[in-house]
Amino acid sequence: MPSKRPYHHGNLAAELIEASFGLLAEQGLAEFSVAKVARALGVSTASPYRHFADRDHLLGAVAAQAARELADRMRADAAAAGADAGEAFAATAGTYVRYVAERGAGFDVIFSPTLTAVQSGGLAEGRRALMDLLFDLAHATGLAPTREDAFVLLERHLVAAHGYVSLFDGGFFTNRNPTASSIADRATQATRTLLAGAGAGG
Amino acid sequence: MPSKRPYHHGNLAAELIEASFGLLAEQGLAEFSVAKVARALGVSTASPYRHFADRDHLLGAVAAQAARELADRMRADAAAAGADAGEAFAATAGTYVRYVAERGAGFDVIFSPTLTAVQSGGLAEGRRALMDLLFDLAHATGLAPTREDAFVLLERHLVAAHGYVSLFDGGFFTNRNPTASSIADRATQATRTLLAGAGAGG
DNA sequence: GTCTATAAATAGATAGAC
DNA sequence: GTCTATCTATTTATAGAC
């Protein structure tokens, strides 16, 4: 058994991104390291630097892909929620919770200021497409007449969804059945309440 | 100039806790280290270990103090908000945002699972007193008839407040005047909307 | 109680062989 | 394009002098 690394690579760059999602999902952004990603793939810790200039460029590529994946899933879930625009909008809260539980890369990764300077892999475009989609869904509810109203509604919606994820990951929910699925449902319901409050003039 | 450290200590343990707050406020939990805290005080990196068994025991003492400080401020702000129970409850969202902006220790620190095992400095009691206070304020609004309703309302309130803090710290708000004070106001208003939604049956 | 010195991990990143 | 080897920096924590 030659312990020489037997790994063949067709596309190490893509594998590094995928392994990064796995590490983020399991250990979170704080525990992310290029060395761990390399070890997870069985390659040397030097290999990633042939494909990404530094740690932030790898994370930037992950963030860009996360923005695209998240937008795709939100679009699909909103469409599946039916004709009610409020329900379509609220559904994306659940999409967000489930996506971060599975992939580990949420708004903290996608909109990380340290990655803004990097601009790798279409990060700026991915960010904008994601926000445009959500803004359109917020506007379509009809509960935010002006552009500013839609911004406020969208902000509260994202804050609630991310708040659930952040407190869930932080171990805040120790009782009340804290599965990712139940948290996703609670986030969706929180946005429904925000919509009811907006409708009631709150 | 003898570079021998000239520092005298009446109470290094308390100074370490206070310096930890400063570090958390400036750099966040991810960047927290015992070594940095020691350097900020001009003492050797070994000194903290005479007062705290390890990193988690120092952070546990910080978390316990944060829980007490936060509860005190919330109680005061709720009282100052006037007779309306909904306004008193909503005010604590702003309290939370301002407190974390100033002290750096929010729910992520106070309820960190790694600190639960430590049980230093009355952390368990501080956590419970904080949650009891908030539950009472939620119940007093009259918009949550049952105990379970009050839990749900409280959960959404905290999720929104923490979501604002988390996204604010994460650099999500790059426009729309992102000062801590304006974020605090937006968090307070978000809870008002949740109350309106609860009142409207959302 | 505080210091100096040190040990053991771990990470980011680079040089040069193959 | 991947490897081995190495350098530098940082952190957590301990040993032992003062």
Side-chain angles (χ1 to χ4, degrees), chain B residues 96-189:
Chain B
Y96 180 70
V97 173
R98 287 189 300 272
Y99 180 76
V100 179
E102 178 190 334
R103 299 289 266 166
F107 294 134
D108 53 336
V109 174
I110 295 172
F111 291 95
S112 168
T114 56
L115 304 183
T116 303
V118 163
Q119 291 298 3
S120 57
L123 178 55
E125 297 85 343
R127 283 175 172 177
R128 201 178 140 200
L130 175 60
M131 292 306 291
D132 284 352
L133 168 67
L134 285 163
F135 182 82
D136 289 347
L137 289 171
H139 196 72
T141 62
L143 292 168
T146 73
R147 203 175 154 73
E148 179 64 15
D149 289 336
F151 265 124
V152 170
L153 176 59
L154 175 54
E155 178 177 293
R156 288 178 190 162
H157 169 64
L158 298 184
V159 157
H162 184 71
Y164 269 106
V165 165
S166 183
L167 287 183
F168 182 50
D169 290 347
F172 184 80
F173 300 114
T174 55
N175 43 22
R176 302 189 73 230
N177 189 31
T179 66
S181 178
S182 75
I183 298 290
D185 291 344
R186 289 191 228 170
T188 303
Q189 188 56 41

Side-chain angles (χ1 to χ4, degrees), chain A:
Chain A
M1 50 294 287
S3 76
K4 302 298 171 187
R5 302 166 188 274
Y7 209 89
H8 276 209
H9 298 295
N11 193 352
L12 183 55
E15 289 186 56
L16 287 164
I17 292 172
E18 198 57 32
S20 294
F21 276 111
L23 179 57
L24 287 170
E26 279 176 24
Q27 304 191 31
L29 181 57
E31 290 295 306
F32 178 89
S33 85
V34 178
K36 282 181 184 171
V37 174
R39 282 196 293 270
L41 286 175
V43 300
S44 78
T45 60
S47 308
Y49 294 94
R50 284 288 131 182
H51 300 272
F52 300 96
D54 55 26
R55 180 194 137 107
D56 278 353
H57 279 79
L58 172 53
L59 266 180
V62 171
Q65 183 170 324
R68 289 188 293 266
E69 290 179 356
L70 184 53
D72 287 345
R73 292 199 193 187
M74 284 178 166
R75 204 168 0 245
D77 286 356
D84 185 294
E87 276 303 297
F89 181 61
T92 61
T95 309
Y96 180 71
V97 173
R98 286 188 300 271
Y99 180 76
V100 179
E102 178 189 335
R103 298 290 265 168
F107 294 134
D108 52 336
V109 173
I110 295 171
F111 290 95
S112 168
T114 56
L115 304 183
T116 303
V118 163
Q119 291 299 5
S120 57
L123 177 54
E125 297 85 343
R127 283 175 172 178
R128 201 177 140 202
L130 175 60
M131 292 305 291
D132 283 352
L133 167 68
L134 285 163
F135 182 82
D136 289 347
L137 290 171
H139 197 71
T141 62
L143 292 168
T146 73
R147 204 175 153 74
E148 179 65 13
D149 289 336
F151 266 123
V152 170
L153 176 59
L154 175 54
E155 178 177 293
R156 286 177 191 163
H157 169 65
L158 297 184
V159 157
H162 184 70
Y164 269 106
V165 166
S166 182
L167 287 182
F168 182 50
D169 290 347
F172 184 80
F173 300 114
T174 55
N175 42 21
R176 304 191 69 230
N177 193 29
T179 66
S181 177
S182 74
I183 297 290
D185 291 343
R186 290 190 227 172
T188 302
Q189 188 56 41
T191 288
R192 288 196 191 103
T193 299
L194 283 174
L195 291 171

